Amino acid sequence: GTYLDDKVFRNQLRMAKAPCHGIKVNKYLETSEENVYAIGDFAAITCPITKECKRYEHDSSAITTANLAVANILLKNQGRSMLGYTYVPSLGSHLFSYTDMEVSFWFYGSFDDDLDSLSLIHFGDWEGVLPTTIGGFWVGKNNAICAGIVCNGSTEVYHELKEIVEYKRILSLLNAKAASSLYESLKPSRSSHYQQAMAYYTTL
């Protein structure tokens, strides 16, 4: 395995405390030193949803934070408003063989609560024969979906998975009236997978 080797920065930049570790950054990925940014595994940022210190050790996070840091450097030099950090961890696979079948999966989200405290909602035909599309969502505090996974989905379904997780994490912070309005505005443009998840959620 690997570990974060941040010793060289400890007397130069503000560091995050255990168990997070890493270099503490603000929502623009700036460190305690002006015009110095941290990205990827080194960036310890306050999650905009849970308000907890997080480091995301994913290649998608490295790309996202690198792009955001570059954008904010340019925006700051131009005297324009910088962009805040928003990121939902993701991981997935290309097609791989499983008992002579080609299958794939994609996951979005993060487990901010203990797994034992989460509920798992399944969707799709779990009794069917692979590679049928199946998946599930993990539901945490206040009935907020914190993560989801889809197996054998199309590119469209994988994008929907991300939208559902992001939408639900945001929805959990809204009041009932605003949430209902947002749901209705999104409802017509979503496919059956999205509708199935949303319909279940509204019954909780």
Side-chain angles (χ1 to χ4, degrees), residues 122-127 132-135 193 196:
H122 296 95
F123 66 85
D125 183 10
W126 284 78
E127 301 300 324
T132 183
T133 300
I134 56 176
H193 290 88
Q196 186 175 3

Side-chain angles (χ1 to χ4, degrees), residues 64-92:
T64 298
T65 52
N67 288 336
L68 181 61
V70 171
N72 282 338
I73 290 170
L74 296 174
L75 289 169
K76 188 174 183 179
N77 287 341
Q78 296 168 6
R80 299 165 61 187
S81 298
M82 294 192 290
L83 304 173
Y85 172 92
T86 57
Y87 174 70
V88 176
S90 65
L91 59 94

Side-chain angles (χ1 to χ4, degrees), residues 75-145:
L75 289 169
K76 188 174 183 179
N77 287 341
Q78 296 168 6
R80 299 165 61 187
S81 298
M82 294 192 290
L83 304 173
Y85 172 92
T86 57
Y87 174 70
V88 176
S90 65
L91 59 94
S93 75
H94 297 293
L95 291 176
F96 63 93
S97 295
Y98 174 73
T99 61
D100 298 324
M101 292 179 294
E102 290 188 335
V103 297
S104 64
F105 76 92
W106 207 264
F107 169 92
Y108 282 99
S110 62
F111 299 119
D112 300 315
D113 299 320
D114 187 279
L115 275 175
D116 292 336
S117 68
L118 301 177
S119 301
L120 179 60
I121 305 169
H122 296 95
F123 66 85
D125 183 10
W126 284 78
E127 301 300 324
V129 178
L130 290 175
T132 183
T133 300
I134 56 176
F137 296 98
W138 285 267
V139 180
K141 296 176 182 178
N142 301 318
N143 291 332
I145 291 178

Side-chain angles (χ1 to χ4, degrees), residues 8-16 22-24 31-34 36-38:
V8 67
F9 302 110
R10 290 179 186 172
N11 295 321
Q12 304 179 60
L13 302 171
R14 181 185 175 195
M15 309 302 291
I23 301 170
K24 188 69 176 175
T31 69
S32 54
E33 289 291 320
E34 188 177 5
V36 176
Y37 296 75

Side-chain angles (χ1 to χ4, degrees), residues 27-84:
K27 65 179 181 180
Y28 306 118
L29 301 179
E30 286 184 304
T31 69
S32 54
E33 289 291 320
E34 188 177 5
N35 297 324
V36 176
Y37 296 75
I39 63 173
D41 293 6
F42 278 96
I45 190 167
T46 300
C47 175
I49 303 299
T50 65
K51 308 305 180 185
E52 296 177 349
C53 179
K54 291 284 185 179
R55 282 192 314 104
Y56 297 112
E57 298 177 326
H58 303 282
D59 57 351
S60 58
S61 174
I63 295 170
T64 298
T65 52
N67 288 336
L68 181 61
V70 171
N72 282 338
I73 290 170
L74 296 174
L75 289 169
K76 188 174 183 179
N77 287 341
Q78 296 168 6
R80 299 165 61 187
S81 298
M82 294 192 290
L83 304 173

